[in-house]
Structures are given as C-alpha cells and as structure tokens.
Amino acid sequence: MFTAVSPGASWPSFSDVSVADVLSAIARLPDKSSAADPWTVPLMKAVAVELAPFLTTVFNRSMAASHFPSSFKEAFITPAIKKLSLNNAEVGSYGPISNLSVVSKLLERIVAAQLTDYRYLKSADLLPRLQSGFRPHHLSETATLRVLSDLLTAIDGGDVAALVLLDLSAAFDTVDHSILCRRLQSLFGLSGSALRWFKSYQHSRSQYVRRGQMRSAVKHLLCRVKQGSVLGPILFMIYTADLVAIIERHGFCPRLYTQTLCSSRFPTASVSLSRRCRYMDEDKPTATQHQQDGLALMFHCPPSTSAANHSSQSRARSCQPFTLGA
C-alpha cells in the first residue's frame, strides 16, 4: 500500500507563467542543442524577447488543458557507453540517453519549477529527507558524509557498523506509468488538472535509436521515464520515495543517492546482519505487494559492494545478494 499524503498537501492545478518566467527559463538553458531541434539554443536566446510571448501562451494552454503536446513525446536515443572500461562491443555496456526538443524541455523546466523548486514539494515537506541527488544542495558529498558519520558513530558506540551498497538495475526503465500516477495522487497530493497533465506527459511516448544516418523502427513505451529529460529524475525520486520506509522496516538505516542505496548502522543487541538480509529475501509477499501497488524495482548487490566493520563485542556476517520486488 502507498504511504498516505501529508495532511493539507494538495496541488490541483498549475499557476500561469509570465513572459518574464519564460525569458528567465530560456536564459538558464545550457548552450547545447539536439538534432531534434528546429533551431539551436544560442539562436533561441538571441530571439528570446520575440519568441517568449508565443511560448508563454503555448505553455499556459498546455498546463490549463492538461495536455502535453504529442510532438514533444518522441525522442531519439543515442547509445552512450556507461564506463570507458566496459567492452564497447557489448550492448549492455551502453545506456539510453534521450534526445528531446529544447522547447519540450523548456516546458518541463517550467513545470519542474512549480513542482520542486521550493514551491510545492519543498513547502509541503514532501521531498524524501534521505535522498541525495536530483536536488539542489544534496550531492554525492553530502551522502558520503552522512554515511561516514553513521558508521563512525556506530563504531564509537560499540555497535555493529556495516555498509551494504545496492544498485538499482535499469532504474529509469522500471518506472511503471500507472503506478507513478497513483503515487503522485496518493503520496504527493496531486489532483485535478495537474494530475491529468502528468498522465498526458507519460501517455503515448515513443522513441527510436539513431546512429549517424541510420535509425531503428519507432517503439512505443509502456513504462520508463526519460534519461535526458528534465522531469525524469524528479519523477524517479517520487516513484522511489517509499523505498526508505520498506528498508527501515527491516531495521536498516538507509541513505539514497540517485540510483544507489546505502544501508548502515545496526545495534549490537539487534538481529544479526545476515539474518536481516534473509528476512528481506524471505519477505516475498510484502515485496510483491509493493510491486503491484507501488514499487516495481530490481536490486543487485555484487559481493564487491558490501563491506562490514564491527566492534570487539560482536561479529558481522557477510550479506548475500538479494532481490527486492521480484
């Protein structure tokens, strides 16, 4: 089941944006363009004063009518190798980066500003407090310092101090659109035209792979948020917001950074680490329920990414890889 929305948290509709808002958003665009664009970003900035009134009308009508333009929904994928050390002949070594038109991303920036930038989610205190990444002032450094502080505090107190690192497999690809919409409504209080806009934003999206002059057939998406979009990381953070509660229920102390989960710090009197891992692995009905009602994710825990430190009073056992939500 989903966590209930905080009392008083409600967002039924967008606010109208002004020409000044659009001009400000254009000025903040990075100077890089996509082949999907009819013009380059520097050119858009050069004619921003003339263009902004028309874009303002289009954006306000989109938000008022709860309709994300169909022409903004098709993306072409550029395969990007994840790490230079990986074998470039293996398909799994590449990640899909979506190339979207600059106008569509500009609309996403307008919506994201109303959703997250200290307006709705921030003012209603709905942002996951343990999530680093995808947010201002929540970087890898802050996540590392918090995890290190937890480990050192546990060791100083004579407790077991263990660190388990979990990585989400194909994280953005596992986001189910219908589940995400239910989470936006039940956990984050979206309703009315705002909720309908996000449903339209996700509906009937398509993509194709492009390499040089070659392109694949167009495929329609049933799930996935776009890597390369503005709203994709924010929607992924919303989709996984209840993950912390699931992990805490088993006695772990989680910290999240983008697509990685860190669990640490266990009191000496608590159940052993290996037994906790076994409990999580055996908790299939609960995990399956979350997959059906609000969480469809896959973890992998390579042996090289788990480590344990312990005091003289207790010994931490090794953690075996496990899957949550399968």
Side-chain angles (χ1 to χ4, degrees):
M1 299 298 291
F2 295 142
T3 301
V5 67
S6 301
S10 177
W11 192 30
S13 61
F14 295 101
S15 302
D16 284 344
V17 296
S18 65
V19 172
D21 293 328
V22 174
L23 282 170
S24 177
I26 292 174
R28 294 196 303 271
L29 286 172
D31 287 329
K32 57 182 181 180
S33 303
S34 166
D37 296 328
W39 53 67
T40 64
V41 171
L43 177 59
M44 175 181 281
K45 290 182 177 180
V47 297
V49 174
E50 293 78 14
L51 191 61
F54 299 98
L55 292 178
T56 302
T57 299
V58 171
F59 295 166
N60 281 329
R61 288 184 177 179
S62 169
M63 293 185 289
S66 303
H67 177 73
F68 190 77
S70 300
S71 59
F72 291 173
K73 294 183 179 182
E74 184 175 87
F76 72 84
I77 303 298
T78 301
I81 195 162
K82 298 175 183 177
K83 295 180 181 179
L84 294 178
S85 58
L86 296 176
N87 184 358
N88 59 12
E90 295 289 338
V91 175
S93 300
Y94 294 86
I97 303 300
S98 298
N99 291 267
L100 300 161
S101 73
V102 67
V103 178
S104 71
K105 295 174 78 170
L106 192 62
L107 175 55
E108 289 188 49
R109 286 176 181 272
I110 295 294
V111 171
Q114 296 196 26
L115 180 63
T116 62
D117 290 355
Y118 303 99
R119 298 194 184 183
Y120 176 64
L121 295 182
K122 182 67 175 180
S123 62
D125 195 26
L126 295 177
L127 292 171
R129 59 186 178 86
L130 300 177
Q131 171 73 56
S132 293
F134 307 141
R135 300 166 59 185
H137 314 301
H138 291 70
L139 307 177
S140 58
E141 291 85 351
T142 58
T144 301
L145 288 173
R146 182 57 185 266
V147 171
L148 181 60
S149 176
D150 285 347
L151 292 172
L152 293 177
T153 300
I155 294 172
D156 289 344
D159 294 339
V160 172
L163 176 64
V164 180
L165 303 179
L166 302 174
D167 183 51
L168 289 168
S169 300
F172 280 42
D173 296 341
T174 61
V175 176
D176 182 280
H177 293 168
S178 61
I179 291 176
L180 176 58
C181 286
R182 298 205 305 272
R183 296 187 70 78
L184 286 168
Q185 181 177 17
S186 64
L187 180 58
F188 291 89
L190 270 69
S191 61
S193 60
L195 180 62
R196 291 194 297 272
W197 187 92
F198 278 99
K199 289 181 178 179
S200 175
Y201 172 80
Q202 299 169 83
H203 182 67
S204 297
R205 281 195 168 271
S206 61
Q207 66 182 30
Y208 61 91
V209 178
R210 175 169 158 176
R211 185 70 172 175
Q213 299 300 316
M214 301 179 64
R215 56 176 290 176
S216 70
V218 175
K219 296 293 184 181
H220 294 278
L221 303 179
L222 300 178
C223 60
R224 189 173 182 246
V225 291
K226 295 287 188 180
Q227 287 182 278
S229 66
V230 176
L231 286 172
I234 300 169
L235 294 176
F236 177 78
M237 182 171 62
I238 288 173
Y239 188 75
T240 57
D242 262 351
L243 181 58
V244 170
I246 298 174
I247 303 301
E248 285 180 332
R249 187 179 65 244
H250 293 275
F252 289 84
C253 185
R255 303 283 180 264
L256 289 85
Y257 177 72
T258 59
Q259 301 165 207
T260 303
L261 171 69
C262 305
S263 296
S264 60
R265 196 180 179 191
F266 314 96
T268 55
S270 65
V271 178
S272 68
L273 175 60
S274 61
R275 189 175 300 177
R276 287 192 189 280
C277 290
R278 188 167 66 251
Y279 284 171
M280 292 187 74
D281 192 44
E282 292 172 352
D283 195 16
K284 295 299 183 182
T286 303
T288 302
Q289 185 68 26
H290 277 286
Q291 184 176 8
Q292 294 172 348
D293 292 341
L295 189 63
L297 297 168
M298 182 73 71
F299 287 94
H300 59 83
C301 178
S304 60
T305 61
S306 63
N309 225 327
H310 55 85
S311 66
S312 58
Q313 288 87 359
S314 61
R315 179 184 299 266
R317 300 179 185 177
S318 61
C319 174
Q320 298 299 318
F322 60 89
T323 299
L324 178 64

